[in-house]
């Protein structure tokens, strides 16, 4: 018997000339485990803004610094440390970090991968 699929995905877009995506949808019982950047992604670190109400967003910190992923170019599948996303219902993806955002030249799609917990 096959195992049930416990992952769902959602795409968010960072607009041309922008550095922050739209808001993810709330998925009760699921947590962010990874992201996939499109081939149109311009070289930049990746960071996140998080919220509990979908309106007020804050830069995601690891406790000592802003949580960021290494700089990537083009299409990559990247795991995230789920522990930093526990307790947050909404996520935005940022190109760059909050103090040094990197605008994307063209609109680019980021796929968020959520796993049921």
């Amino acid at each position: 018997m096959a195992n049930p699929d416990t992952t769902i995905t959602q795409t968010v877009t960072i607009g041309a000339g922008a550095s922050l995506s739209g808001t993810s949808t709330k998925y009760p019982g699921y947590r962010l485990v990874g992201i996939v950047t499109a081939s149109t992604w311009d070289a930049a670190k990746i960071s996140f803004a998080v919220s509990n109400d979908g309106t007020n967003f804050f830069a995601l910190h690891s406790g000592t610094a802003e949580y960021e992923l290494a700089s990537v170019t083009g299409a990559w599948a990247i795991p995230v440390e789920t522990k930093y996303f526990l307790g947050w219902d909404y996520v935005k993806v940022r190109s760059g970090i909050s103090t040094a955002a990197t605008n994307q030249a063209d609109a680019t799609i980021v796929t968020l991968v959520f796993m049921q917990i």
Side-chain angles (χ1 to χ4, degrees):
M1 178 163 61
N3 291 330
D5 187 3
T6 59
T7 61
I8 55 175
T9 61
Q10 178 192 12
T11 59
V12 292
T13 301
I14 297 176
S19 61
L20 193 61
S21 76
T23 305
S24 69
T25 300
K26 182 176 178 179
Y27 294 113
Y30 285 80
R31 287 295 172 244
L32 184 66
V33 295
I35 65 168
V36 179
T37 57
S39 61
T40 55
W41 180 269
D42 296 324
K45 291 181 178 181
I46 299 170
S47 64
F48 303 88
V50 293
S51 173
N52 280 325
D53 61 11
T55 301
N56 299 296
F57 283 82
F58 307 93
L60 180 63
H61 283 256
S62 66
T64 57
E66 187 167 0
Y67 177 67
E68 63 184 68
L69 304 176
S71 182
V72 299
T73 302
W76 283 82
I78 309 157
V80 300
E81 293 188 59
T82 301
K83 65 184 179 183
Y84 296 126
F85 296 90
L86 295 175
W88 303 108
D89 292 327
Y90 302 93
V91 177
K92 290 184 179 186
V93 177
R94 179 181 293 107
S95 174
I97 60 174
S98 64
T99 57
T102 304
N103 290 345
Q104 292 290 304
D106 298 313
T108 188
I109 293 173
V110 178
T111 301
L112 304 173
V113 181
F114 296 88
M115 180 176 277
Q116 192 172 29
I117 57 169

